[in-house]
Amino acid sequence: MAEIFITRKVFGEVIEILEKEGHTIDINNTDTILPSPKLVKRARGKAGLVSLLNDRIDSQVMNELSSLKVISNIAVGYDNIDIDAATRRSIMVTNTPGVLTETTADLAFALLLSAARKIPEADSYIRAGKFKNWQLMQPQMGVDIYEKTLGIVGMGAIGQAVAKRAHRGFDMRVIYFNSSRKELAEKEYKAEFVEFDELLSNSDFISIHVPLTEKTTHMFSRNAFKRMKKNAILVNTARGPVVDEKALVSAIKNGQIRGAALDVFEEEPKVHPELIKMAENVVLAPHIGSASIETRLRMAKMAAKNMAEGLKGNKPPNLVNDAVF
Ligand code: GLV
């Protein structure tokens, strides 16, 4: 029986699962991000830490938490955790893959549609009482989606779920860039494997689905934007720092690309002030890729089960750092 610290508000089911196992729970019910010293203070002496993607758990934090055995992150991404540092200390780290794939792909597509067809702008127009008559030259004329080319950067599970929607629902041509070929996507969704530069210059829409690593940081740089089509719309539901936000702002301002739909930001929860102003060609969402009630609950329960298994000394189903086992 162990003590667990949960860094933020979670569904009651998480607590039920862990208490049933006989564990004692301490929880930060304020639901605000705890600065490292506070997090350390609350988690000290505990064997389990249930974290969210915006809790930074680096090697300094781990140095202070010598009793820690399992970190269960309620997210598929785990760039907030220093995995090497955890592995060196034999701390298991787990994530929540799979259960959020379709939901995140839905959101990526929703953003793509919203930006292409200017839905947020149209909504604001009506609310502002500006809808007086149907006009042929309507201010909210967007661009077509069907039969256009979608470039997918990162063809993991979520990338493939986006490809499925594009191919089956919208007759889009799908091209992709990934570290390896994905036969299923090539066969089922007619996805074509291309080099990054080719993807940039041929896509009408680009959707990002890579994890954040040193390699993918600022993958969308000034140079990348220069290669993109003038009509292109960039969709990011992965991680903010994959896109150089300053370069994105310039690219939109200079007409190098048409616009963007962003669910994630370089310095969350901060958003570049210029992006906030760009209501006509930028759609913004507050990191809600997996935010359906069903999926968030599935993620939370999965995280609780990962924690329970790890604390039993078993290999958790979604162990990220296999080397510790
Ligand atoms: C969300 O961004 C996640 O990584 O689960």
Side-chain angles (χ1 to χ4, degrees), residues 112-181:
L112 185 156
L113 297 172
S114 299
R117 298 299 305 271
K118 296 175 166 280
I119 294 170
E121 194 188 326
D123 181 275
S124 305
Y125 184 81
I126 293 208
R127 289 176 206 281
K130 292 182 184 165
F131 184 32
K132 303 288 186 214
N133 60 0
W134 188 91
Q135 299 159 280
L136 183 67
M137 307 299 282
Q138 204 122 5
Q140 295 84 27
M141 275 190 292
V143 289
D144 280 329
I145 296 135
Y146 72 96
E147 293 180 357
K148 292 275 182 74
T149 298
L150 171 65
I152 297 181
V153 176
M155 201 56 138
I158 300 172
Q160 292 184 54
V162 171
K164 177 171 67 182
R165 284 156 177 74
H167 175 70
R168 295 198 179 150
F170 294 83
D171 281 334
M172 294 177 94
R173 174 184 176 218
V174 177
I175 58 179
Y176 75 101
F177 173 70
N178 194 59
S179 53
S180 61
R181 298 282 289 264

Side-chain angles (χ1 to χ4, degrees), residues 17 53 80 145 247 302:
I17 291 170
L53 57 84
N80 57 313
I145 296 135
M302 190 177 212

Side-chain angles (χ1 to χ4, degrees), residues 53 74-78 96 100 237-239 264 287 290 296 299:
L53 57 84
I74 314 183
V76 65
Y78 43 84
T96 61
L100 48 66
T237 52
R239 284 293 182 268
V264 288
H287 204 147
S290 62
R296 286 282 167 91
M299 290 165 68

Side-chain angles (χ1 to χ4, degrees), residues 20-162:
K20 230 186 223 162
E21 297 284 328
H23 301 307
T24 311
I25 313 291
D26 179 22
I27 180 161
N28 167 28
N29 266 322
T30 67
D31 212 18
T32 53
I33 303 173
L34 294 176
S36 296
K38 279 199 178 155
L39 188 147
V40 161
K41 206 166 159 200
R42 296 282 295 269
R44 190 169 278 137
K46 311 227 161 56
L49 181 64
V50 177
S51 54
L52 299 196
L53 57 84
N54 43 15
D55 294 312
R56 183 137 299 284
I57 304 165
D58 55 21
S59 87
Q60 269 175 321
V61 166
M62 289 180 219
N63 278 345
E64 303 289 326
L65 302 177
S66 52
S67 312
L68 199 55
K69 293 198 165 56
V70 184
I71 302 170
S72 175
N73 212 36
I74 314 183
V76 65
Y78 43 84
D79 48 277
N80 57 313
I81 302 170
D82 185 336
I83 300 298
D84 289 340
T87 306
R88 282 197 300 276
R89 291 163 179 79
S90 298
I91 299 170
M92 296 184 224
V93 180
T94 65
N95 69 340
T96 61
V99 290
L100 48 66
T101 300
E102 301 295 333
T103 303
T104 307
D106 280 348
L107 197 271
F109 233 89
L111 286 178
L112 185 156
L113 297 172
S114 299
R117 298 299 305 271
K118 296 175 166 280
I119 294 170
E121 194 188 326
D123 181 275
S124 305
Y125 184 81
I126 293 208
R127 289 176 206 281
K130 292 182 184 165
F131 184 32
K132 303 288 186 214
N133 60 0
W134 188 91
Q135 299 159 280
L136 183 67
M137 307 299 282
Q138 204 122 5
Q140 295 84 27
M141 275 190 292
V143 289
D144 280 329
I145 296 135
Y146 72 96
E147 293 180 357
K148 292 275 182 74
T149 298
L150 171 65
I152 297 181
V153 176
M155 201 56 138
I158 300 172
Q160 292 184 54
V162 171

Side-chain angles (χ1 to χ4, degrees), residues 245-254 262 265 270-284:
E245 239 165 52
K246 238 167 127 185
L248 171 65
V249 165
S250 311
I252 297 172
K253 269 191 170 168
N254 302 334
L262 308 169
F265 304 91
K270 279 193 225 147
V271 179
H272 194 297
E274 292 294 319
L275 291 174
I276 303 267
K277 287 188 209 154
M278 294 174 167
E280 284 176 19
N281 30 23
V282 175
V283 176
L284 305 171

